[in-house]
Amino acid sequence: MMSMPAYVHCRPGETISRPRPGDIILVRHKHWLGWLIRCFVRIRHRAPEDRPYTYWSHVALVVSHTGKMVEVNARGVVINHIRQYRECDYHYVWLDLPDAGRKAAVQFARSCLKQKYSLRNFLLLAATIVLGDRVRMPDSGHGCVSLVARALQEAGIRFDRKPTDMTPADLAKRFGVTP
């Protein structure tokens, strides 16, 4: 039996054929906010060996076999479909999770639907990064990474940082995803 790669790079116009609940996507947005996010992430991840992980600006959790995802955007925690990223550059990450872990991650993410996006936490995270991580982030509200990291914690995955302190680069590094 052929082993599945840990991730696949989907370039604009490409998509994943068999999404699985509990997997994630790392997205590179080209608009000004995506560029700004990558700039802040590069401040934290300065080491040459960490630079490849600063490629992404967004993350979402797949919650169905049909490609539905839970993600955080300006409207808050919402359900969207992976096809909305068809014209974007993204990496689909297959996670090695047991069925119970996948179910727990999806259940947590769905329980957060309709919660508000925390612009305050986004700005605090940017300030924290600029100040060299000397400021403690409050554990409230959701950004895209904190939602996905919390969901994956429900699945049994552990991280070196608190979900509110994480960036897309932290997830990419944790799962060994490079552009």
Side-chain angles (χ1 to χ4, degrees):
M1 181 172 179
M2 184 179 218
S3 71
M4 189 179 291
Y7 61 91
V8 64
H9 185 182
C10 295
R11 290 172 178 77
E14 299 176 349
T15 192
I16 193 73
S17 60
R18 282 178 270 172
R20 298 183 315 180
D23 290 344
I24 65 172
I25 66 166
L26 290 161
V27 182
R28 179 181 177 91
H29 284 300
K30 298 242 179 182
H31 53 63
W32 69 270
L33 184 57
W35 176 84
L36 186 63
I37 290 167
R38 288 190 307 276
C39 286
F40 281 113
V41 172
R42 286 182 188 122
I43 291 170
R44 177 182 279 166
H45 298 278
R46 287 184 206 133
E49 64 272 13
D50 289 342
R51 293 300 273 197
Y53 304 115
T54 65
Y55 185 78
W56 300 276
S57 55
H58 183 66
V59 63
L61 181 80
V62 177
V63 296
S64 78
H65 290 288
T66 62
K68 289 183 181 175
M69 306 175 309
V70 171
E71 65 181 330
V72 179
N73 62 28
R75 296 184 328 259
V77 182
V78 298
I79 286 202
N80 279 317
H81 197 280
I82 200 166
R83 73 176 154 255
Q84 85 175 35
Y85 292 109
R86 185 167 175 80
E87 297 309 315
C88 293
D89 185 17
Y90 72 90
H91 285 66
Y92 185 95
V93 185
W94 285 286
L95 298 179
D96 186 21
L97 294 172
D99 289 341
R102 290 179 183 284
K103 184 176 179 180
V106 168
Q107 195 169 15
F108 175 84
R110 287 184 179 274
S111 77
C112 296
L113 287 171
K114 298 185 181 178
Q115 291 181 10
K116 294 191 185 279
Y117 169 70
S118 180
L119 177 60
R120 175 180 167 262
N121 279 10
F122 174 78
L123 296 173
L124 283 171
L125 179 58
T128 297
I129 290 170
V130 168
L131 295 171
D133 290 313
R134 290 185 293 255
V135 177
R136 303 294 298 166
M137 279 290 297
D139 199 0
S140 62
H142 291 296
C144 65
V145 179
S146 64
L147 174 80
V148 170
R150 285 180 172 127
L152 295 178
Q153 283 179 330
E154 292 292 317
I157 296 175
R158 299 292 164 238
F159 299 101
D160 294 336
R161 297 181 190 273
K162 290 186 332 185
T164 52
D165 291 335
M166 293 174 65
T167 68
D170 293 300
L171 289 174
K173 187 173 181 177
R174 171 68 171 78
F175 300 119
V177 183
T178 56

